[in-house]
Amino acid sequence: MAASLFFYGWWDVHYVPLLFASIVFNYVVGGQLARYAEGFEIAAGGHVSPDAPHVRARKGWLFFGIVVNLLLLGYFKYMDFFLGTVNALAGADVFDLPHIVLPLGISFYTFTQTAYLIDAYRGCAKRHSFLTYLEFVTIFPHLIAGPIINYREMMPQFLAMENYCICWDNMAKGLALFSMGLFKKVVIADELAPWVQAVFSHAGELTFFEGWAGALGYTLQLYFDFSGYSEMAIGLGLMLNLHFPQNFDSPYQAKSIIDFWRRWHMTLGLWVKEYLYIPLGGNRAGQLRKLRNLFVSMVLIGLWHGAGWTFVAWGAMHGLMLMVNHVWRTLQIRLPGVLCWVMTFLGVMVCWVFFRAADFQAAVNVLAAMTDVHQMVLPEHDLARWGFLAPLGVMFAPLASGLLPGRVLPTCLGLLCCALLFKNPVRLVSSFHANWKWFLLTATLLVVALYKMDRYTEFLYFQF
């Protein structure tokens, strides 16, 4: 617990009091909700009116807790966005933008604690000591970028005394998983980052192949960066005898957008389903309302990811694709699996362009370059660079300088093949048995990753 607070404060100690205040507030509110829920269970033998004082008080505490959490998140994450939007609509600088620094991990610990309040309201989150709750929220592997953990699922692990002993099997398995996640981040994602940055910072000057290489490069960079972090977090958790939930299940193998969202950022998808989609009505009120609830949920997921209209557009586009996918299923029209995969992957990649672009114009420029068939010829000096590159070629050769797709595009295609053909690390370590093969694999990945750590780069989801 103290180590987790020190870990968080290493980034900026000024935001530790904010984190601590948020934890104290939610613990107090959650305690009130749990107390009222216990009282409601005792009285459940009789008929309790929804207007009974303790029922109204319980709802009031929940409303108060959620509103304060959202106000906190809104102030730090969305103040510039809201004020900037007002200025744009007014056509003048009505408000000065405060340019507030986003506290690290605020989206994740706010969602984690909001779920705790709702579970306490429902009576499925029992009260425990403040120190145990503090440890639950701040445990350092997941604190700054997930996965989003659930109170009622994780608390038994924090209370189990056997988890406070060293388990060498968990230690070895966690180290193997951590090394694979670190490798994905440092050796793959960070090597793609300069190319992606070059493409999106010159969005108005791209050729056909540059546009495709940039879009595909970011599609892979984001996946290897965020899934790499999640696997590092799960691996660190295993070393502490904690089993964090899986966050990725080879999402680029999905053959429908519905399947994609069952595999991508799985803990966020489950959170939205349980605490937003179902409370909105889920699929209980007919097809039209189900589609509406899906769309609203995806728009809010987009806004959660970032304070910008491009993120809202990204969420709305995914919402529309999910609506189409559900309607398509009701028609029971079957297409070849390869075609389903191509449609799904292209849809996801186009959406990532809006997710990455600085504004709508930059996104439109990248997409325009990707559809400019008049520039489908590589420059002569790039032709020599085409040819087979090992999927991990980025480990041995720096990316092409400038805006040259000759080396990057085939490397991205190789990495995409890896994502499609290989098991993801979480599934891979499910069959872990300590032996020399695992030792050599883990040692090799760690040595290569540490060798490549010659510069500091943040995880992409730190900004969300």
Side-chain angles (χ1 to χ4, degrees):
M1 179 177 58
S4 296
L5 291 173
F6 177 81
F7 173 77
Y8 187 83
W10 187 265
W11 168 70
D12 191 338
V13 70
H14 295 93
Y15 285 105
V16 173
L18 176 68
L19 170 64
F20 188 77
S22 173
I23 291 170
V24 171
F25 170 79
N26 281 280
Y27 180 76
V28 172
V29 174
Q32 291 296 319
L33 289 168
R35 183 169 62 85
Y36 279 115
E38 291 167 1
F40 184 80
E41 289 176 1
I42 294 173
H47 296 286
V48 181
S49 169
D51 295 325
H54 72 278
V55 175
R56 293 198 305 270
R58 190 159 140 254
K59 290 181 178 179
W61 276 107
L62 177 65
F63 178 79
F64 175 60
I66 292 176
V67 167
V68 171
N69 279 323
L70 292 180
L71 287 176
L72 182 70
L73 184 63
Y75 173 76
F76 282 98
K77 188 169 184 176
Y78 300 105
M79 184 60 71
D80 277 13
F81 172 62
F82 291 145
L83 296 181
T85 301
V86 172
N87 289 345
L89 292 174
D93 292 335
V94 179
F95 298 103
D96 293 328
L97 302 185
H99 299 300
I100 302 168
V101 176
L102 182 66
L104 197 61
I106 188 171
S107 296
F108 288 92
Y109 67 70
T110 299
F111 266 38
T112 296
Q113 296 190 99
T114 301
Y116 161 67
L117 296 184
I118 297 173
D119 285 345
Y121 172 81
R122 293 171 176 173
C124 50
K126 303 301 181 183
R127 286 183 291 178
H128 296 287
S129 71
F130 175 73
L131 291 180
T132 304
Y133 179 77
L134 181 64
E135 183 181 17
F136 158 74
V137 177
T138 62
I139 191 71
F140 72 91
H142 90 101
L143 175 60
I144 52 182
I148 301 172
I149 58 177
N150 186 282
Y151 181 88
R152 64 177 184 272
E153 294 175 359
M154 292 300 302
M155 195 53 64
Q157 298 186 51
F158 286 100
L159 297 175
M161 293 305 299
E162 59 269 21
N163 285 345
Y164 290 87
C165 302
I166 295 178
C167 175
W168 293 111
D169 185 63
N170 283 344
M171 190 72 71
K173 185 184 296 186
L175 182 60
L177 186 56
F178 177 87
S179 67
M180 286 186 270
L182 182 64
F183 183 91
K184 288 168 69 173
K185 160 63 178 172
V186 174
V187 179
I188 300 177
D190 284 359
E191 291 297 322
L192 290 172
W195 164 258
V196 173
Q197 175 61 29
V199 167
F200 281 89
S201 61
H202 297 80
E205 310 167 12
L206 304 177
T207 65
F208 177 85
F209 283 103
E210 289 166 356
W212 277 96
L216 181 57
Y218 183 68
T219 298
L220 293 165
Q221 180 200 359
L222 183 63
Y223 169 69
F224 284 110
D225 187 285
F226 190 30
S227 66
Y229 177 89
S230 295
E231 285 145 16
M232 291 170 66
I234 295 171
L236 287 170
L238 272 175
M239 295 183 205
L240 301 173
N241 296 325
L242 297 174
H243 294 268
F244 290 145
Q246 185 177 355
N247 216 17
F248 287 89
D249 189 12
S250 303
Y252 291 158
Q253 297 178 11
K255 296 180 181 179
S256 72
I257 201 66
I258 294 175
D259 190 29
F260 172 80
W261 275 103
R262 289 172 178 164
R263 296 165 173 259
W264 177 275
H265 206 342
M266 297 158 66
T267 57
L268 176 63
L270 289 173
W271 193 100
V272 171
K273 177 182 178 181
E274 186 166 353
Y275 301 109
L276 182 60
Y277 173 72
I278 292 177
L280 283 173
N283 56 4
R284 300 190 301 272
Q287 182 75 350
L288 288 178
R289 290 191 178 182
K290 169 188 172 180
L291 298 178
R292 179 207 64 183
N293 296 337
L294 277 172
F295 183 77
V296 171
S297 298
M298 290 310 303
V299 169
L300 292 175
I301 283 179
L303 187 60
W304 176 84
H305 274 90
W309 288 111
T310 53
F311 293 104
V312 175
W314 172 80
M317 293 167 68
H318 271 279
L320 289 172
M321 289 193 296
L322 283 170
M323 293 167 67
V324 171
N325 198 170
H326 278 277
V327 172
W328 189 270
R329 283 190 170 186
T330 62
L331 300 176
Q332 298 183 344
I333 301 174
R334 296 187 178 275
L335 295 175
V338 173
L339 181 59
C340 291
W341 176 82
V342 170
M343 293 170 61
T344 301
F345 185 76
L346 287 178
V348 169
M349 186 166 62
V350 168
C351 290
W352 284 139
V353 172
F354 284 87
F355 193 87
R356 173 61 176 80
D359 50 44
F360 280 104
Q361 187 59 54
V364 170
N365 287 340
V366 174
L367 294 176
M370 294 169 65
T371 55
D372 188 356
V373 294
H374 299 293
Q375 300 189 47
M376 289 184 64
V377 179
L378 278 172
E380 291 184 5
H381 57 267
D382 274 351
L383 291 175
R385 300 187 183 188
W386 279 84
F388 181 78
L389 287 180
L392 299 180
V394 290
M395 176 172 57
F396 304 106
L399 296 176
S401 59
L403 298 180
L404 302 178
R407 184 176 297 169
V408 178
L409 191 51
T411 301
C412 287
L413 293 175
L415 291 171
L416 179 59
C417 289
C418 291
L420 295 176
L421 298 176
F422 296 160
K423 286 184 179 180
N424 67 73
V426 175
R427 287 189 178 273
L428 193 62
V429 299
S430 63
S431 58
F432 175 89
H433 295 288
N435 53 41
W436 282 105
K437 291 181 180 179
W438 274 105
F439 172 78
L440 290 175
L441 175 63
T442 302
T444 301
L445 293 178
L446 281 175
V447 169
V448 173
L450 292 173
Y451 173 76
K452 296 293 291 185
M453 290 177 64
D454 56 350
R455 64 183 183 274
Y456 170 76
T457 55
E458 285 188 345
F459 287 92
L460 292 179
Y461 259 67
F462 283 4
Q463 60 186 293
F464 306 132

